[in-house]
Amino acid sequence: MKRIFIIIVLCFAQFSNAQTPDLKRANRFFDKTFYTEAIPLYESIIEDNQSYIVLKNLADAYYYTNDYGKAQRLYANLVSRFKKDISEDYYFKYAQTLKVAGKYKEAYAVLHDYYVGTANFVASTQLDKDLITLENVSAIGNRFEIKNLAMNSSSSEFGAVVNQGDLVFSGVDRSAGFLDKKFKWNGEKYLDILSMPIENMNAADSVVKSFSNVINTEMHEANAIFTKDGKTVYFTRNNFVKGRRAKNQDKVSNLQIFKGELVGGKWVNIVALPFNNENYSVEHPALSFDEKTLYFASDMPGTLGSFDLFSVAIDGENFGTPKNLGSNINTDKKEQFPFVSKDGKLYFSSDGHAGYGLLDVFVVDLNTGNLDFPSNVGLPVNSAYDDFSFNIDADTKQGFFASNRIGGKGSDDIYQLSEQKPLIIEDCKQFVEGVVSDVDTKLPLSNATVVLLDANSVEVSRMTTNLKGDFVFTVSCDTRYTVAAAKEEFTKAEKSIRVNKERDLRTDASVSLKSIVVLKKEEEAVAQLKKEQEKALEEKNKAKEIAQVEKIKKDKTTAAIKAVEQAKLDEKAKTNAIVAAEKDVVKVDSQLIIKTDPIYFDYSLWYIRRETKPVLDKVIDLMKKHPTMIVEIGSHTDNRGNAKYNLDLSAKRANSTREYFMQNGIEGNRILAKGYGESQQIIKCEPSESCSEEQHELNRRNVFTIKSL
């Protein structure tokens, strides 16, 4: 609908001498809003010239002629290359084309990044709120049943109202000739107000006629509305004076609202309303149900956006001063196509409120006194495309609207609607519910206090369980909560939960509490059991320690026995080996004896006789050969003299022999000396006189016993 009802007045820009003739022509067409003539020129130019002005104007030309796919590609290029040069309006239009393509996340990102990048945090916050609002509206589902009317054509049809049994709407006169004048904005023929019997609106071959040859001219006529008696009409037309198009000093023919009266079956007294002005547009009339107020759209000075909604009082033939409906209704974008239902609700189209894309239909209740923020009427009336000229009978819930959405027959089609659901917009909610029960008996606990805490542990709500122990909280979606339950004489309990975005989902947050009396008994039982277990463990450890000590003792004894046995075996092996290896080593009984020639000592003397030394040297050589060998020198005497004397004498003889060994390189710890006296005689001489001197000499001897190998 932009191409029909938005008259953009641009100052003629000054271009450099470098402009080509085609670019100058294209810019002239663009400035005059002759978009269908400007587009082919820009397309031929852009192959060699992708300047800011060419990209911007061609993108806008496609946007205003509803070719959103091509506009999107060009806006993307413009934003990428000239982001510092373009205004917010171009980011907005780029986002709108993305919505048309169903790319809502990308559309959000384009605007969000722009707002954050320009530190416009108010706008970025509102963008996030709008996103939630649309989620809430979408959650209602399809509120309406809609039907594309069979009478639609390949041209534009919109603004349908019922008057005296006829369907009156805006469209192209279907009886027009081939040479009829075309609107250079979009290349279509000029609009007229048409009509047909309402019962034929769903017949594809129904006859459509001009509503009135007096009202319809060579200009645009559209958006007719009627008083309840059908005798007064208000409609939109280009500035028209004395049967000719009228223009302002900028050569622009703005839109104005006209009024006509039905007298004698003919429309007469067609006059422009007094608050029209040649320098701005006044369009889209709508009457309050009592017909005392006229609502309309205008871009007059002081508007908040490109078009705002206004109201003006009607007093007979007189009109008051137009009043802007204010910032709750009007935005910095565009508000158009008002309609007031008999129950006092104002419907209109806007691209500045939270919408699905391009123009959406919104509603606000006029009965509240202060105009509140409007609500999106929902699906499927609203779409990613232009949805506008909405009207509805508050009693029958039947009505019409127009849209240029995909699937229609022309650029704008009229749809019949039937409201099926009330408009109840609610934030996403879920239910956190459950039962507080006794953890042991499993029985529900009544009169328990249950507190709902948010993610910051701030209390949101609290309640007391009923006889069944039940509780239920209504919570916001996509949030973390903690449910805390408590009851006298019971322990406390908490449960953390995370709710998602699924509406009306029920999340179980049941908790169990434990009786403090039972808990104390259990604690006492546990303490007693622990005490018994500790005692048993202590006894077990003690027994284990005793067993360990006994085992160590036993192991030591066993090891000692094995060591002794092994030592004996080793000693025996060594003994056998040395006996086998040394001919002078013999085993006598259990002892190893080193055989030597007799070693004699003079009577009562202990010095080593010279002839004895070679004998001792053999023993010394043997000990050197076996460096670990330990030898005992056992010295013996005959039995002459008293025993003590003989014992001392033998000790002296043994020590004398030991000293000789040490003098010849044997370590002292390897040679033992022991005197046996007369205790071990070879020949028993009892009494001493019974033996000869030779026999006594045999008893005076040294014996070399190997004590260790």
Side-chain angles (χ1 to χ4, degrees):
M1 276 313 301
K2 306 174 193 67
R3 68 197 190 289
I4 300 174
F5 291 100
I6 303 173
I7 304 298
I8 300 177
V9 181
L10 299 174
C11 294
F12 287 100
Q14 298 297 319
F15 301 102
S16 66
N17 292 330
Q19 287 184 323
T20 63
D22 282 348
L23 180 55
K24 289 180 180 179
R25 286 182 63 215
N27 289 337
R28 281 198 303 270
F29 287 141
F30 182 85
D31 292 338
K32 293 180 179 180
T33 69
F34 294 175
Y35 300 125
T36 55
E37 297 189 14
I39 286 173
L41 291 173
Y42 283 128
E43 283 289 4
S44 64
I45 293 168
I46 201 170
E47 295 180 4
D48 301 315
N49 180 357
Q50 295 193 8
S51 64
Y52 169 75
I53 193 67
V54 172
L55 282 174
K56 179 181 73 67
N57 287 0
L58 182 56
D60 281 345
Y62 278 128
Y63 186 81
Y64 295 131
T65 54
N66 302 336
D67 194 337
Y68 301 113
K70 291 180 180 178
Q72 178 195 138
R73 291 190 292 272
L74 291 165
Y75 284 139
N77 194 348
L78 196 67
V79 167
S80 174
R81 294 178 55 196
F82 302 101
K83 62 176 58 180
K84 293 182 179 180
D85 301 319
I86 60 177
S87 64
E88 176 187 348
D89 183 53
Y90 283 90
Y91 287 91
F92 173 77
K93 287 187 285 190
Y94 179 30
Q96 293 288 72
T97 62
L98 289 169
K99 287 182 179 181
V100 169
K103 301 176 181 179
Y104 285 95
K105 289 183 178 180
E106 292 182 35
Y108 169 85
V110 166
L111 289 177
H112 181 269
D113 292 348
Y114 173 76
Y115 292 144
V116 172
T118 55
N120 190 348
F121 300 114
V122 172
S124 65
T125 300
Q126 186 60 49
L127 185 68
D128 291 336
K129 291 181 179 178
D130 289 348
L131 190 64
I132 295 173
T133 297
L134 280 183
E135 289 178 355
N136 294 337
V137 173
S138 299
I140 302 173
N142 286 340
R143 290 191 58 230
F144 302 88
E145 289 182 355
I146 63 173
K147 179 181 180 181
N148 188 297
L149 296 185
M151 48 74 61
N152 287 313
S153 70
S154 59
S155 299
S156 291
E157 287 86 20
F158 61 94
V161 295
V162 178
N163 179 57
Q164 308 301 312
D166 284 342
L167 184 70
V168 181
F169 60 95
S170 306
V172 174
D173 187 352
R174 301 181 186 182
S175 64
F178 178 74
L179 297 177
D180 285 348
K181 187 176 181 181
K182 292 185 177 181
F183 185 37
K184 294 183 180 180
W185 178 303
N186 59 3
E188 291 189 0
K189 298 174 184 178
Y190 275 70
L191 295 166
D192 282 337
I193 299 174
L194 308 175
S195 69
M196 64 182 300
I198 194 167
E199 62 269 16
N200 296 336
M201 65 182 180
N202 281 311
D205 58 351
S206 59
V207 176
V208 176
K209 64 180 181 178
S210 172
F211 174 72
S212 168
N213 292 330
V214 176
I215 290 177
N216 289 327
T217 67
E218 63 179 8
M219 299 292 97
H220 283 302
E221 283 84 26
N223 295 99
I225 62 165
F226 300 87
T227 54
K228 289 190 288 293
D229 61 9
K231 294 181 179 180
T232 303
V233 64
Y234 296 88
F235 63 94
T236 303
R237 175 194 280 168
N238 290 105
N239 189 2
F240 194 72
V241 178
K242 296 181 181 180
R244 296 177 59 86
R245 177 201 295 263
K247 298 180 181 180
N248 61 15
Q249 62 182 5
D250 294 325
K251 297 183 179 181
V252 174
S253 179
N254 282 304
L255 297 176
Q256 297 185 345
I257 295 177
F258 289 77
K259 175 185 175 184
E261 296 177 344
L262 184 63
V263 178
K266 296 183 179 180
W267 290 103
V268 296
N269 302 325
I270 310 299
V271 295
L273 296 190
F275 48 84
N276 289 326
N277 191 295
E278 67 177 11
N279 292 317
Y280 53 80
S281 286
V282 179
E283 61 184 25
H284 308 162
L287 279 172
S288 62
F289 187 68
D290 63 8
E291 301 179 356
K292 293 181 179 181
T293 304
L294 184 73
Y295 295 86
F296 61 92
S298 176
D299 62 349
M300 67 176 63
T303 56
L304 303 179
S306 61
F307 274 85
D308 282 3
L309 295 185
F310 293 80
S311 68
V312 63
I314 303 174
D315 184 10
E317 297 297 319
N318 300 315
F319 293 85
T321 302
K323 295 180 180 179
N324 190 297
L325 294 190
S327 59
N328 283 2
I329 303 298
N330 295 315
T331 68
D332 61 350
K333 300 299 188 295
K334 177 174 55 181
E335 282 70 44
Q336 296 174 297
F337 299 100
F339 165 77
V340 180
S341 61
K342 65 175 65 176
D343 58 350
K345 292 180 180 177
L346 171 64
Y347 294 85
F348 63 96
S349 290
S350 170
D351 61 0
H353 293 287
Y356 294 96
L358 301 181
L359 288 175
D360 270 16
V361 179
F362 295 85
V363 61
V364 65
D365 194 344
L366 297 175
N367 299 309
T368 60
N370 296 322
L371 291 179
D372 202 351
F373 288 99
S375 299
N376 190 300
V377 301
L379 303 171
V381 163
N382 286 327
S383 67
Y385 289 79
D386 283 324
D387 307 298
F388 57 99
S389 67
F390 179 100
N391 68 76
I392 189 169
D393 187 312
D395 295 329
T396 66
K397 305 299 182 183
Q398 306 292 314
F400 302 93
F401 76 102
S403 178
N404 63 348
R405 66 188 61 189
I406 296 295
K409 299 176 182 177
S411 56
D412 296 312
D413 280 2
I414 297 172
Y415 290 78
Q416 187 177 13
L417 65 86
S418 175
E419 184 178 345
Q420 303 296 310
K421 294 181 181 179
L423 180 59
I424 302 175
I425 302 174
E426 297 177 318
D427 287 334
C428 178
K429 69 178 185 301
Q430 290 189 13
F431 303 98
V432 174
E433 60 186 11
V435 177
V436 180
S437 61
D438 187 309
V439 70
D440 297 304
T441 67
K442 311 303 180 186
L443 295 175
L445 295 176
S446 61
N447 295 319
T449 300
V450 185
V451 180
L452 181 71
L453 306 171
D454 65 15
N456 297 316
S457 298
V458 176
E459 181 176 327
V460 177
S461 182
R462 68 168 53 213
M463 67 177 303
T464 302
T465 57
N466 58 21
L467 291 176
K468 295 182 179 180
D470 295 332
F471 66 89
V472 59
F473 295 104
T474 302
V475 300
S476 299
C477 297
D478 196 24
T479 312
R480 293 183 183 276
Y481 293 100
T482 299
V483 173
K487 181 178 173 65
E488 289 187 7
E489 299 301 322
F490 282 84
T491 59
K492 297 179 180 180
E494 290 185 353
K495 188 171 187 179
S496 295
I497 54 175
R498 172 64 189 256
V499 296
N500 56 25
K501 288 187 175 183
E502 184 177 349
R503 291 171 183 261
D504 299 324
L505 187 70
R506 293 182 177 273
T507 300
D508 182 28
S510 297
V511 292
S512 297
L513 309 184
K514 191 172 187 67
S515 168
I516 293 177
V517 173
V518 174
L519 180 62
K520 286 182 178 179
K521 290 181 179 179
E522 289 181 353
E523 288 175 346
E524 291 172 357
V526 170
Q528 181 62 31
L529 179 62
K530 183 178 180 182
K531 185 176 180 180
E532 293 174 357
Q533 290 175 339
E534 288 176 348
K535 183 177 180 181
L537 181 61
E538 183 180 356
E539 292 176 353
K540 182 179 179 180
N541 290 338
K542 187 175 181 180
K544 187 176 180 180
E545 289 177 2
I546 293 172
Q548 188 69 20
V549 170
E550 292 298 324
K551 183 177 184 301
I552 291 172
K553 287 181 179 179
K554 184 178 179 181
D555 290 345
K556 286 183 177 179
T557 301
T558 301
I561 292 172
K562 287 184 178 180
V564 170
E565 291 176 351
Q566 186 62 44
K568 288 180 179 180
L569 291 174
D570 293 344
E571 191 69 21
K572 183 178 180 180
K574 288 182 179 180
T575 297
N576 293 336
I578 198 169
V579 168
E582 303 293 343
K583 61 183 181 61
D584 293 329
V585 177
V586 296
K587 190 173 184 181
V588 179
D589 296 329
S590 61
Q591 294 183 324
L592 287 179
I593 304 297
I594 300 174
K595 292 191 303 179
T596 63
D597 292 334
I599 299 173
Y600 301 111
F601 291 94
D602 291 333
Y603 179 74
S604 295
L605 296 175
W606 55 84
Y607 64 86
I608 302 300
R609 290 171 28 179
R610 182 168 28 185
E611 67 273 17
T612 300
K613 291 180 178 180
V615 177
L616 296 177
D617 289 342
K618 288 183 179 180
V619 177
I620 291 170
D621 290 341
L622 181 63
M623 290 184 72
K624 288 182 177 180
K625 183 177 179 183
H626 300 281
T628 61
M629 183 184 289
I630 298 175
V631 176
E632 178 192 275
I633 303 170
S635 184
H636 301 266
T637 66
D638 58 27
N639 63 345
R640 292 180 292 185
N642 64 57
K644 182 179 184 308
Y645 173 81
N646 286 335
L647 184 63
D648 291 340
L649 177 62
S650 65
K652 290 178 180 178
R653 287 174 175 171
N655 286 327
S656 175
T657 304
R658 180 174 181 271
E659 289 177 1
Y660 181 78
F661 272 63
M662 292 171 64
Q663 290 170 359
N664 285 276
I666 300 302
E667 298 88 340
N669 61 349
R670 294 182 59 206
I671 189 73
L672 308 176
K674 185 174 182 180
Y676 289 91
E678 58 185 65
S679 62
Q680 297 181 6
Q681 296 185 39
I682 296 174
I683 300 173
K684 300 295 184 180
C685 296
E686 297 294 342
S688 60
E689 292 85 2
S690 63
C691 291
S692 64
E693 182 62 33
E694 287 80 7
Q695 289 174 320
H696 282 300
E697 190 173 69
L698 287 173
N699 285 332
R700 296 193 301 274
R701 69 196 186 280
N702 276 350
V703 178
F704 299 96
T705 303
I706 299 174
K707 305 302 287 184
S708 174
L709 293 172

